[in-house]
Amino acid sequence: MMLTIGLLYLSLFALAGRMQRHRPVLLDSWQRRPWVAHLQLAGWTLFGLSLLSLTLWADFGIALVAWIGLVPLLGGIVVLGMTYRPVVARAGVPVAAALTFAGLLV
């Protein structure tokens, strides 16, 4: 589950960071980097990988329902962090990367 949560958060952050409207808030001084143009592709790829990571679960049905519940939960964290405290949304990226790494090891 850690792998799925990490991939899903990173994908939603990347998709939001690619949008012209949210880029200044989320990426701050990083918004002029050349890799920003590839955030949309990275976001959709990570989104698909998070869905694909559900195959590691023994019960795919429960995993799918959990994934469907995680999408609005993590999206809400990104949106609320972006609205009220962008530092919270940006601080979630290393946490999500650590969760992804830990999920790969387990």
Side-chain angles (χ1 to χ4, degrees):
M1 191 58 148
M2 292 187 293
L3 176 64
T4 305
I5 291 171
L7 289 171
L8 196 54
Y9 186 86
L10 291 173
S11 72
L12 294 172
F13 187 89
L15 289 172
R18 177 64 178 115
M19 294 179 193
Q20 188 69 31
R21 178 182 210 173
H22 305 313
R23 191 176 307 147
V25 175
L26 287 178
L27 300 180
D28 201 23
S29 63
W30 290 61
Q31 65 181 325
R32 302 228 185 264
R33 305 284 173 128
W35 49 263
V36 172
H38 303 293
L39 277 178
Q40 187 173 10
L41 176 64
W44 285 114
T45 303
L46 289 169
F47 196 78
L49 286 174
S50 73
L51 189 56
L52 191 63
S53 71
L54 299 179
T55 59
L56 300 174
W57 280 56
D59 190 0
F60 183 74
I62 292 175
L64 184 62
V65 170
W67 183 84
I68 290 171
L70 282 171
V71 171
L73 177 71
L74 295 175
I77 292 171
V78 172
V79 168
L80 288 175
M82 190 170 45
T83 303
Y84 296 107
R85 294 245 176 185
V87 175
V88 172
R90 284 189 291 254
V93 172
V95 172
L99 281 173
T100 304
F101 183 69
L104 286 173
L105 292 179
V106 172

XYZ file of all heavy atoms in Angstrom:
814
model
N 0.809 -1.196 0.000
C 0.000 0.000 0.000
C 0.856 1.265 0.000
O 0.455 2.267 -0.525
C -0.934 -0.046 1.212
C -1.986 1.016 1.158
S -2.932 0.861 -0.327
C -4.486 1.399 0.158
N 2.035 1.181 0.624
C 2.922 2.345 0.659
C 3.348 2.740 -0.752
O 3.417 3.926 -1.075
C 4.156 2.058 1.514
C 3.876 1.915 2.975
S 5.369 1.765 3.967
C 6.008 0.208 3.437
N 3.614 1.744 -1.563
C 4.015 1.997 -2.947
C 2.909 2.722 -3.696
O 3.158 3.707 -4.396
C 4.361 0.677 -3.636
C 4.714 0.735 -5.116
C 5.989 1.534 -5.314
C 4.861 -0.663 -5.668
N 1.687 2.270 -3.527
C 0.549 2.875 -4.209
C 0.333 4.310 -3.758
O 0.114 5.199 -4.585
C -0.723 2.040 -3.946
O -0.475 0.695 -4.332
C -1.896 2.586 -4.700
N 0.406 4.543 -2.460
C 0.208 5.901 -1.931
C 1.291 6.845 -2.444
O 1.009 7.969 -2.870
C 0.182 5.875 -0.387
C -1.076 5.163 0.102
C 0.253 7.283 0.188
C -1.090 4.905 1.588
N 2.531 6.408 -2.404
C 3.632 7.254 -2.876
C 3.509 7.580 -4.350
O 3.650 8.739 -4.754
N 3.225 6.586 -5.167
C 3.090 6.824 -6.606
C 1.911 7.730 -6.913
O 1.995 8.609 -7.782
C 2.936 5.498 -7.348
C 4.176 4.614 -7.430
C 3.813 3.255 -8.001
C 5.253 5.277 -8.258
N 0.811 7.518 -6.209
C -0.377 8.322 -6.469
C -0.171 9.781 -6.075
O -0.559 10.689 -6.812
C -1.572 7.719 -5.724
C -2.946 8.162 -6.145
C -3.165 7.960 -7.636
C -4.005 7.404 -5.377
N 0.461 10.035 -4.925
C 0.729 11.416 -4.517
C 1.675 12.104 -5.506
O 1.438 13.240 -5.906
C 1.322 11.476 -3.112
C 1.468 12.895 -2.621
C 0.402 13.519 -2.006
C 2.641 13.618 -2.798
C 0.503 14.828 -1.572
C 2.763 14.912 -2.370
C 1.680 15.517 -1.755
O 1.784 16.822 -1.343
N 2.725 11.401 -5.886
C 3.673 11.986 -6.839
C 2.998 12.284 -8.174
O 3.281 13.302 -8.812
C 4.868 11.057 -7.034
C 5.809 10.923 -5.837
C 6.844 9.846 -6.101
C 6.465 12.243 -5.514
N 2.095 11.406 -8.605
C 1.409 11.636 -9.881
C 0.494 12.847 -9.798
O 0.469 13.672 -10.719
C 0.618 10.402 -10.301
O -0.524 10.218 -9.502
N -0.264 12.972 -8.716
C -1.163 14.114 -8.588
C -0.389 15.422 -8.449
O -0.791 16.459 -8.986
C -2.103 13.910 -7.399
C -3.096 12.758 -7.553
C -3.844 12.518 -6.254
C -4.054 13.012 -8.693
N 0.735 15.375 -7.744
C 1.572 16.570 -7.622
C 2.148 16.965 -8.979
O 2.164 18.144 -9.329
C 2.697 16.325 -6.612
C 3.498 17.551 -6.295
C 3.109 18.389 -5.278
C 4.633 17.868 -7.023
C 3.833 19.531 -4.983
C 5.367 18.997 -6.739
C 4.968 19.838 -5.721
N 2.606 15.985 -9.745
C 3.176 16.283 -11.061
C 2.113 16.837 -12.006
O 2.380 17.777 -12.757
C 3.818 15.030 -11.660
N 0.923 16.263 -11.981
C -0.142 16.764 -12.854
C -0.551 18.182 -12.469
O -0.800 19.023 -13.337
C -1.346 15.824 -12.818
C -1.146 14.490 -13.514
C -2.322 13.569 -13.240
C -0.965 14.688 -15.009
N -0.625 18.455 -11.175
C -0.958 19.816 -10.743
C 0.182 20.782 -11.053
O -0.053 21.934 -11.434
C -1.270 19.830 -9.246
N 1.425 20.328 -10.911
C 2.571 21.189 -11.196
C 2.711 21.524 -12.667
O 3.330 22.516 -13.033
N 2.154 20.719 -13.526
C 2.225 20.986 -14.963
C 1.225 22.060 -15.400
O 1.421 22.723 -16.400
C 1.980 19.679 -15.741
C 1.965 19.839 -17.230
C 3.340 20.285 -17.729
N 3.323 20.394 -19.169
C 3.473 21.534 -19.840
N 3.670 22.659 -19.186
N 3.461 21.551 -21.142
N 0.159 22.227 -14.632
C -0.862 23.217 -14.994
C -0.317 24.627 -14.806
O 0.300 24.936 -13.791
C -2.112 23.021 -14.151
C -2.810 21.737 -14.409
S -4.251 21.617 -13.343
C -4.657 19.916 -13.551
N -0.572 25.460 -15.790
C -0.066 26.837 -15.781
C -0.517 27.595 -14.539
O 0.237 28.389 -13.981
C -0.552 27.556 -17.051
C 0.052 28.912 -17.248
C 1.532 28.842 -17.589
O 1.987 27.893 -18.204
N 2.276 29.832 -17.171
N -1.724 27.320 -14.106
C -2.292 28.035 -12.975
C -1.619 27.658 -11.646
O -1.473 28.483 -10.752
C -3.775 27.720 -12.919
C -4.503 28.335 -11.799
C -5.934 27.903 -11.857
N -6.770 28.940 -11.314
C -8.066 28.925 -11.348
N -8.696 27.953 -11.930
N -8.755 29.899 -10.811
N -1.244 26.403 -11.508
C -0.702 25.921 -10.236
C 0.822 25.900 -10.190
O 1.392 25.730 -9.125
C -1.216 24.512 -9.948
C -2.698 24.401 -9.963
N -3.522 25.285 -9.305
C -3.521 23.511 -10.565
C -4.776 24.942 -9.490
N -4.808 23.869 -10.268
N 1.446 26.034 -11.316
C 2.904 25.933 -11.385
C 3.625 26.928 -10.483
O 4.549 26.548 -9.770
C 3.363 26.086 -12.833
C 4.816 25.727 -13.017
C 5.230 25.790 -14.463
N 4.348 24.995 -15.280
C 4.018 25.289 -16.523
N 4.512 26.350 -17.108
N 3.206 24.524 -17.211
N 3.255 28.218 -10.474
C 3.998 29.147 -9.606
C 3.883 28.807 -8.119
O 4.831 28.988 -7.366
C 3.361 30.508 -9.889
C 2.650 30.359 -11.176
C 2.283 28.931 -11.313
N 2.727 28.293 -7.711
C 2.529 27.980 -6.299
C 3.298 26.722 -5.900
O 3.962 26.692 -4.870
C 1.018 27.794 -6.013
C 0.796 27.343 -4.589
C 0.269 29.077 -6.288
N 3.209 25.691 -6.722
C 3.817 24.409 -6.362
C 5.315 24.357 -6.612
O 6.062 23.821 -5.803
C 3.137 23.265 -7.118
C 1.743 22.891 -6.657
C 1.193 21.793 -7.530
C 1.754 22.462 -5.213
N 5.746 24.888 -7.738
C 7.146 24.726 -8.113
C 8.022 25.903 -7.736
O 9.236 25.800 -7.754
C 7.255 24.453 -9.615
C 6.528 23.207 -10.108
C 6.719 23.046 -11.594
C 6.983 21.980 -9.369
N 7.410 27.043 -7.445
C 8.129 28.229 -6.985
C 9.276 28.576 -7.939
O 9.037 28.892 -9.096
C 8.617 28.012 -5.555
C 8.918 29.308 -4.831
O 8.358 30.331 -5.239
O 9.694 29.295 -3.879
N 10.509 28.514 -7.508
C 11.631 28.909 -8.363
C 12.010 27.820 -9.368
O 12.795 28.069 -10.273
C 12.847 29.245 -7.496
O 13.259 28.090 -6.793
N 11.447 26.623 -9.258
C 11.766 25.518 -10.152
C 10.935 25.549 -11.424
O 11.145 24.718 -12.311
C 11.518 24.193 -9.440
C 12.489 23.924 -8.355
C 12.699 24.669 -7.241
C 13.389 22.844 -8.291
N 13.671 24.103 -6.468
C 14.111 22.975 -7.099
C 13.651 21.765 -9.119
C 15.081 22.073 -6.719
C 14.608 20.871 -8.720
C 15.326 21.030 -7.537
N 9.995 26.472 -11.537
C 9.070 26.443 -12.660
C 9.703 26.776 -14.012
O 9.116 26.512 -15.040
C 7.889 27.368 -12.398
C 8.235 28.827 -12.300
C 7.016 29.666 -12.019
O 5.945 29.356 -12.485
N 7.197 30.734 -11.258
N 10.896 27.276 -14.046
C 11.560 27.608 -15.305
C 12.530 26.510 -15.766
O 13.235 26.684 -16.741
C 12.315 28.918 -15.165
C 11.408 30.056 -14.760
C 11.620 31.255 -15.621
N 10.842 32.376 -15.147
C 9.658 32.696 -15.630
N 9.119 31.959 -16.558
N 9.017 33.747 -15.176
N 12.551 25.397 -15.077
C 13.441 24.292 -15.450
C 12.936 23.598 -16.710
O 11.732 23.561 -16.971
C 13.529 23.263 -14.314
C 13.941 23.834 -12.987
C 15.418 24.119 -12.984
N 15.801 24.823 -11.776
C 16.761 24.444 -10.986
N 17.460 23.384 -11.261
N 17.054 25.156 -9.926
N 13.826 23.015 -17.494
C 13.395 22.375 -18.748
C 12.558 21.120 -18.557
O 11.766 20.765 -19.419
C 14.712 22.048 -19.454
C 15.764 22.126 -18.419
C 15.273 23.032 -17.338
N 12.684 20.440 -17.416
C 11.936 19.202 -17.212
C 10.476 19.439 -16.877
O 9.693 18.491 -16.829
C 12.584 18.334 -16.137
C 12.906 19.058 -14.863
C 14.112 19.575 -14.516
C 12.021 19.352 -13.787
N 14.041 20.168 -13.287
C 12.754 20.047 -12.819
C 10.686 19.109 -13.549
C 12.193 20.494 -11.631
C 10.123 19.557 -12.363
C 10.879 20.243 -11.426
N 10.072 20.688 -16.639
C 8.675 20.985 -16.299
C 7.744 20.599 -17.451
O 6.607 20.189 -17.224
C 8.529 22.483 -15.920
C 7.080 22.870 -15.754
C 9.287 22.761 -14.643
N 8.235 20.668 -18.678
C 7.409 20.302 -19.825
C 7.038 18.826 -19.815
O 6.042 18.429 -20.410
C 8.138 20.644 -21.114
N 7.787 18.009 -19.110
C 7.533 16.565 -19.084
C 6.755 16.126 -17.850
O 6.569 14.924 -17.645
C 8.857 15.804 -19.132
C 9.684 16.157 -20.331
N 9.304 15.840 -21.614
C 10.846 16.825 -20.431
C 10.212 16.278 -22.453
N 11.168 16.891 -21.763
N 6.300 17.066 -17.033
C 5.590 16.695 -15.820
C 4.262 16.007 -16.100
O 3.850 15.127 -15.357
C 5.346 17.929 -14.945
C 6.493 18.358 -14.055
C 6.124 19.609 -13.283
C 6.894 17.256 -13.114
N 3.598 16.401 -17.180
C 2.314 15.778 -17.492
C 2.506 14.300 -17.847
O 1.770 13.436 -17.362
C 1.624 16.511 -18.627
C 0.223 16.004 -18.885
C -0.506 16.868 -19.894
O 0.089 17.738 -20.530
N -1.784 16.639 -20.033
N 3.484 14.011 -18.677
C 3.772 12.627 -19.025
C 4.191 11.825 -17.790
O 3.733 10.693 -17.579
C 4.870 12.561 -20.090
C 5.334 11.169 -20.489
C 4.195 10.403 -21.147
C 6.524 11.266 -21.406
N 5.021 12.423 -16.948
C 5.443 11.748 -15.720
C 4.253 11.516 -14.791
O 4.132 10.453 -14.179
C 6.512 12.571 -15.010
N 3.364 12.487 -14.691
C 2.193 12.354 -13.833
C 1.279 11.220 -14.267
O 0.846 10.405 -13.451
N 0.988 11.157 -15.567
C 0.118 10.089 -16.052
C 0.801 8.730 -15.969
O 0.155 7.712 -15.707
C -0.359 10.373 -17.468
C -1.414 11.428 -17.502
C -1.323 12.663 -18.063
C -2.731 11.353 -16.935
N -2.478 13.366 -17.860
C -3.366 12.581 -17.191
C -3.420 10.378 -16.230
C -4.663 12.838 -16.760
C -4.704 10.652 -15.802
C -5.324 11.868 -16.072
N 2.105 8.693 -16.164
C 2.833 7.434 -16.034
C 2.797 6.936 -14.587
O 2.544 5.755 -14.328
C 4.290 7.599 -16.499
O 4.283 8.068 -17.853
C 5.053 6.305 -16.408
N 3.040 7.832 -13.644
C 2.987 7.455 -12.235
C 1.579 7.058 -11.816
O 1.388 6.161 -10.999
C 3.486 8.611 -11.367
C 4.979 8.899 -11.441
C 5.292 10.222 -10.756
C 5.765 7.777 -10.826
N 0.576 7.714 -12.395
C -0.821 7.365 -12.105
C -1.110 5.929 -12.563
O -1.711 5.141 -11.828
C -1.740 8.360 -12.829
C -3.156 8.366 -12.338
C -3.481 9.016 -11.160
C -4.152 7.740 -13.046
C -4.781 9.029 -10.708
C -5.459 7.750 -12.600
C -5.772 8.397 -11.423
N -0.660 5.595 -13.757
C -0.832 4.231 -14.260
C -0.051 3.219 -13.447
O -0.530 2.109 -13.184
N 1.155 3.585 -13.025
C 1.957 2.684 -12.195
C 1.321 2.456 -10.829
O 1.418 1.362 -10.265
C 3.377 3.228 -12.029
C 4.283 3.118 -13.246
C 5.611 3.824 -12.977
C 4.515 1.672 -13.620
N 0.659 3.491 -10.301
C -0.020 3.300 -9.015
C -1.184 2.332 -9.169
O -1.436 1.513 -8.288
C -0.504 4.635 -8.449
O -1.619 5.125 -9.163
N -1.867 2.398 -10.287
C -2.945 1.448 -10.546
C -2.378 0.050 -10.783
O -2.929 -0.950 -10.318
C -3.773 1.917 -11.738
C -5.067 1.182 -12.035
C -5.980 1.197 -10.827
C -5.768 1.818 -13.215
N -1.261 -0.017 -11.457
C -0.626 -1.301 -11.725
C -0.061 -1.933 -10.450
O 0.007 -3.156 -10.336
C 0.492 -1.107 -12.755
C 1.098 -2.351 -13.355
C 0.045 -3.114 -14.147
C 2.253 -1.985 -14.250
N 0.307 -1.096 -9.485
C 0.866 -1.628 -8.238
C -0.177 -2.381 -7.415
O 0.178 -3.091 -6.475
C 1.471 -0.497 -7.400
O 0.465 0.326 -6.859
N -1.436 -2.252 -7.768
C -2.483 -2.970 -7.047
C -2.414 -4.472 -7.291
O -2.974 -5.253 -6.531
C -3.871 -2.457 -7.451
C -4.157 -0.989 -7.168
C -5.544 -0.633 -7.639
C -4.000 -0.671 -5.706
N -1.740 -4.871 -8.345
C -1.629 -6.305 -8.635
C -0.766 -7.034 -7.610
O -0.788 -8.253 -7.558
C -1.049 -6.525 -10.043
O 0.245 -5.917 -10.118
C -1.962 -5.942 -11.110
N -0.021 -6.286 -6.796
C 0.792 -6.896 -5.743
C -0.053 -7.353 -4.557
O 0.412 -8.119 -3.724
C 1.866 -5.915 -5.265
C 2.852 -5.435 -6.328
C 3.764 -4.368 -5.753
C 3.650 -6.595 -6.867
N -1.279 -6.862 -4.479
C -2.168 -7.223 -3.382
C -2.760 -8.599 -3.626
O -2.978 -9.014 -4.764
C -3.302 -6.213 -3.294
C -2.926 -4.948 -2.594
C -1.893 -4.119 -2.911
C -3.584 -4.373 -1.492
N -1.879 -3.062 -2.070
C -2.909 -3.180 -1.182
C -4.675 -4.731 -0.741
C -3.287 -2.368 -0.147
C -5.065 -3.911 0.289
C -4.361 -2.739 0.591
N -3.069 -9.294 -2.550
C -3.695 -10.619 -2.668
C -5.146 -10.497 -3.129
O -5.615 -11.289 -3.941
C -3.632 -11.347 -1.335
N -5.862 -9.503 -2.616
C -7.265 -9.304 -2.994
C -7.370 -8.032 -3.828
O -7.344 -6.917 -3.310
C -8.131 -9.195 -1.743
C -9.619 -9.232 -2.057
O -9.975 -9.344 -3.252
O -10.417 -9.162 -1.112
N -7.497 -8.218 -5.136
C -7.496 -7.073 -6.051
C -8.721 -6.185 -5.860
O -8.639 -4.973 -6.011
C -7.422 -7.556 -7.499
C -7.334 -6.440 -8.496
C -6.155 -5.735 -8.651
C -8.435 -6.071 -9.250
C -6.065 -4.697 -9.553
C -8.358 -5.030 -10.149
C -7.166 -4.344 -10.307
N -9.865 -6.759 -5.521
C -11.090 -5.974 -5.346
C -10.978 -4.974 -4.223
O -11.335 -3.802 -4.373
N -10.471 -5.415 -3.078
C -10.295 -4.509 -1.944
C -9.230 -3.461 -2.274
O -9.359 -2.292 -1.913
C -9.939 -5.299 -0.675
C -11.147 -6.126 -0.240
C -9.483 -4.386 0.444
C -10.896 -7.037 0.922
N -8.196 -3.877 -2.965
C -7.140 -2.934 -3.350
C -7.677 -1.861 -4.288
O -7.328 -0.689 -4.167
C -5.992 -3.682 -4.004
N -8.539 -2.242 -5.215
C -9.112 -1.266 -6.150
C -10.002 -0.268 -5.428
O -9.958 0.939 -5.707
C -9.880 -1.994 -7.247
C -10.463 -1.119 -8.353
C -9.342 -0.399 -9.097
C -11.299 -1.950 -9.301
N -10.808 -0.751 -4.491
C -11.663 0.158 -3.709
C -10.802 1.101 -2.872
O -11.091 2.300 -2.767
C -12.646 -0.651 -2.830
C -13.365 0.234 -1.840
C -13.646 -1.394 -3.705
N -9.723 0.588 -2.283
C -8.811 1.445 -1.513
C -8.157 2.484 -2.411
O -8.017 3.649 -2.029
C -7.747 0.591 -0.822
N -7.780 2.092 -3.624
C -7.150 3.027 -4.561
C -8.127 4.130 -4.963
O -7.750 5.297 -5.023
C -6.669 2.264 -5.792
C -5.939 3.101 -6.780
C -4.620 3.433 -6.753
C -6.471 3.719 -7.950
N -4.299 4.216 -7.836
C -5.419 4.403 -8.585
C -7.740 3.758 -8.515
C -5.598 5.120 -9.756
C -7.920 4.477 -9.682
C -6.857 5.146 -10.286
N -9.383 3.746 -5.214
C -10.399 4.734 -5.580
C -10.627 5.713 -4.436
O -10.858 6.904 -4.662
C -11.699 4.024 -6.007
C -11.488 3.317 -7.338
C -12.867 5.003 -6.107
C -12.618 2.410 -7.762
N -10.534 5.262 -3.199
C -10.657 6.158 -2.055
C -9.432 7.029 -1.845
O -9.534 8.153 -1.353
N -8.270 6.519 -2.237
C -7.043 7.294 -2.067
C -6.927 8.451 -3.058
O -6.287 9.455 -2.759
C -5.825 6.379 -2.217
C -5.491 5.506 -1.034
C -4.405 4.507 -1.404
C -5.056 6.341 0.146
N -7.524 8.308 -4.223
C -7.415 9.364 -5.238
C -7.960 10.696 -4.711
O -7.241 11.708 -4.729
C -8.085 8.943 -6.565
C -8.148 10.114 -7.528
C -7.354 7.778 -7.197
N -9.216 10.766 -4.204
C -9.667 12.061 -3.688
C -8.977 12.487 -2.398
O -8.798 13.686 -2.154
C -11.173 11.873 -3.475
C -11.387 10.430 -3.405
C -10.294 9.782 -4.198
N -8.567 11.516 -1.581
C -7.887 11.862 -0.337
C -6.550 12.554 -0.612
O -6.274 13.639 -0.090
C -7.662 10.610 0.513
C -6.889 10.828 1.812
C -7.749 11.580 2.808
C -6.431 9.513 2.379
N -5.736 11.948 -1.448
C -4.431 12.536 -1.757
C -4.571 13.778 -2.631
O -3.794 14.726 -2.505
C -3.541 11.493 -2.429
C -3.176 10.310 -1.526
C -2.405 9.267 -2.309
C -2.407 10.763 -0.321
N -5.567 13.777 -3.518
C -5.837 14.983 -4.304
C -6.234 16.142 -3.415
O -5.850 17.292 -3.643
N -7.009 15.841 -2.369
C -7.393 16.884 -1.416
C -6.208 17.434 -0.658
O -6.132 18.631 -0.380
N -5.265 16.562 -0.328
C -4.057 17.027 0.358
C -3.261 17.965 -0.535
O -2.794 19.022 -0.097
C -3.201 15.831 0.815
C -3.912 15.068 1.928
C -1.825 16.290 1.290
C -3.266 13.771 2.296
N -3.145 17.614 -1.811
C -2.419 18.481 -2.753
C -3.152 19.813 -2.917
O -2.549 20.884 -2.849
C -2.232 17.781 -4.115
C -1.662 18.749 -5.143
C -1.324 16.576 -3.985
N -4.463 19.755 -3.104
C -5.239 20.978 -3.342
C -5.254 21.866 -2.105
O -5.052 23.079 -2.208
C -6.674 20.625 -3.794
C -7.579 21.834 -3.761
C -6.648 20.046 -5.176
N -5.533 21.293 -0.938
C -5.564 22.114 0.272
C -4.181 22.647 0.618
O -4.053 23.790 1.059
C -6.133 21.309 1.437
C -7.634 21.041 1.357
C -8.069 20.133 2.496
C -8.417 22.328 1.371
N -3.167 21.843 0.416
C -1.815 22.336 0.642
C -1.456 23.455 -0.317
O -0.808 24.428 0.057
N -1.913 23.315 -1.559
C -1.629 24.335 -2.565
C -2.376 25.633 -2.248
O -1.865 26.721 -2.465
C -2.075 23.789 -3.929
C -1.660 24.575 -5.093
S -1.990 23.691 -6.624
C -3.609 23.051 -6.411
N -3.566 25.503 -1.689
C -4.391 26.672 -1.407
C -3.939 27.409 -0.155
O -3.818 28.632 -0.162
C -5.855 26.244 -1.243
O -6.263 25.563 -2.422
C -6.752 27.442 -1.036
N -3.696 26.670 0.910
C -3.429 27.311 2.191
C -1.946 27.349 2.567
O -1.471 28.341 3.077
C -4.218 26.613 3.304
C -5.701 26.764 3.110
C -6.474 25.696 2.696
C -6.312 27.987 3.300
C -7.836 25.841 2.498
C -7.663 28.145 3.099
C -8.423 27.064 2.704
O -9.764 27.220 2.497
N -1.239 26.273 2.361
C 0.182 26.201 2.693
C 0.908 25.415 1.625
O 0.987 24.191 1.691
C 0.378 25.498 4.030
C -0.167 26.244 5.182
C 0.924 26.645 6.042
N 0.319 27.464 7.105
C 1.006 28.052 7.982
N 2.281 27.935 7.976
N 0.431 28.788 8.883
N 1.458 26.077 0.614
C 2.186 25.352 -0.430
C 3.373 24.553 0.099
O 3.778 23.571 -0.507
C 2.650 26.453 -1.380
C 1.780 27.615 -1.103
C 1.360 27.496 0.327
N 3.903 24.941 1.244
C 5.021 24.216 1.831
C 4.599 22.788 2.194
O 5.378 21.845 2.048
C 5.548 24.975 3.074
C 6.622 24.200 3.777
C 6.023 26.348 2.686
N 3.343 22.620 2.611
C 2.838 21.298 2.980
C 2.784 20.399 1.748
O 3.194 19.238 1.791
C 1.450 21.415 3.642
C 0.823 20.051 3.848
C 1.554 22.166 4.960
N 2.272 20.938 0.640
C 2.184 20.146 -0.593
C 3.576 19.787 -1.104
O 3.809 18.662 -1.559
C 1.403 20.907 -1.660
N 4.516 20.732 -1.017
C 5.885 20.451 -1.466
C 6.599 19.493 -0.522
O 7.411 18.683 -0.947
C 6.676 21.752 -1.582
C 6.307 22.559 -2.802
C 7.266 23.701 -2.972
N 7.112 24.707 -1.943
C 6.551 25.888 -2.122
N 6.104 26.222 -3.308
N 6.441 26.743 -1.132
N 6.299 19.570 0.767
C 6.929 18.669 1.731
C 6.420 17.243 1.567
O 7.088 16.297 1.985
C 6.670 19.156 3.153
N 5.268 17.082 0.945
C 4.741 15.749 0.709
C 5.498 14.979 -0.351
O 5.429 13.749 -0.387
N 6.230 15.676 -1.201
C 6.958 15.005 -2.288
C 8.071 14.103 -1.746
O 8.143 12.929 -2.124
C 7.482 16.038 -3.312
C 8.381 15.382 -4.325
C 6.314 16.721 -3.993
N 8.956 14.574 -0.868
C 9.966 13.638 -0.347
C 9.360 12.529 0.507
O 9.869 11.397 0.510
C 10.914 14.509 0.471
C 10.354 15.846 0.508
C 9.218 15.935 -0.436
N 8.259 12.830 1.197
C 7.589 11.790 1.981
C 7.031 10.722 1.047
O 7.170 9.521 1.295
C 6.477 12.405 2.853
C 5.638 11.334 3.517
C 7.066 13.339 3.878
N 6.399 11.144 -0.055
C 5.850 10.204 -1.018
C 6.967 9.407 -1.707
O 6.808 8.217 -1.960
C 5.018 10.950 -2.060
N 8.086 10.058 -1.972
C 9.218 9.337 -2.572
C 9.767 8.294 -1.597
O 10.107 7.179 -1.997
C 10.313 10.318 -2.970
N 9.814 8.635 -0.303
C 10.277 7.673 0.692
C 9.285 6.509 0.827
O 9.698 5.360 0.968
C 10.452 8.370 2.043
N 7.988 6.803 0.765
C 6.991 5.741 0.810
C 7.110 4.814 -0.400
O 6.976 3.601 -0.287
C 5.579 6.330 0.858
C 5.090 6.851 2.204
C 3.760 7.558 2.052
C 4.984 5.722 3.198
N 7.356 5.408 -1.568
C 7.526 4.615 -2.774
C 8.748 3.702 -2.647
O 8.685 2.518 -2.964
C 7.658 5.528 -4.001
O 6.520 6.374 -4.076
C 7.781 4.732 -5.279
N 9.829 4.254 -2.167
C 11.047 3.474 -1.996
C 10.845 2.362 -0.965
O 11.261 1.217 -1.181
C 12.206 4.388 -1.590
C 13.513 3.685 -1.467
C 14.159 3.202 -2.584
C 14.092 3.495 -0.232
C 15.364 2.532 -2.479
C 15.295 2.838 -0.102
C 15.942 2.356 -1.238
N 10.183 2.691 0.135
C 9.916 1.679 1.168
C 8.966 0.611 0.647
O 9.118 -0.566 0.976
C 9.327 2.342 2.417
N 8.008 1.011 -0.164
C 7.089 0.046 -0.746
C 7.769 -0.880 -1.719
O 7.380 -2.048 -1.853
N 8.783 -0.400 -2.395
C 9.538 -1.257 -3.305
C 10.398 -2.274 -2.548
O 10.626 -3.374 -3.021
C 10.423 -0.414 -4.214
C 9.713 0.336 -5.330
C 10.692 1.271 -6.039
C 9.102 -0.631 -6.326
N 10.870 -1.879 -1.372
C 11.719 -2.768 -0.586
C 10.929 -3.856 0.130
O 11.446 -4.949 0.341
C 12.505 -1.959 0.453
C 13.572 -1.024 -0.105
C 14.246 -0.286 1.024
C 14.592 -1.802 -0.921
N 9.693 -3.544 0.489
C 8.894 -4.514 1.261
C 8.284 -5.564 0.405
O 8.079 -5.684 -0.650
C 7.789 -3.780 2.040
C 6.835 -4.754 2.697
C 8.399 -2.891 3.075
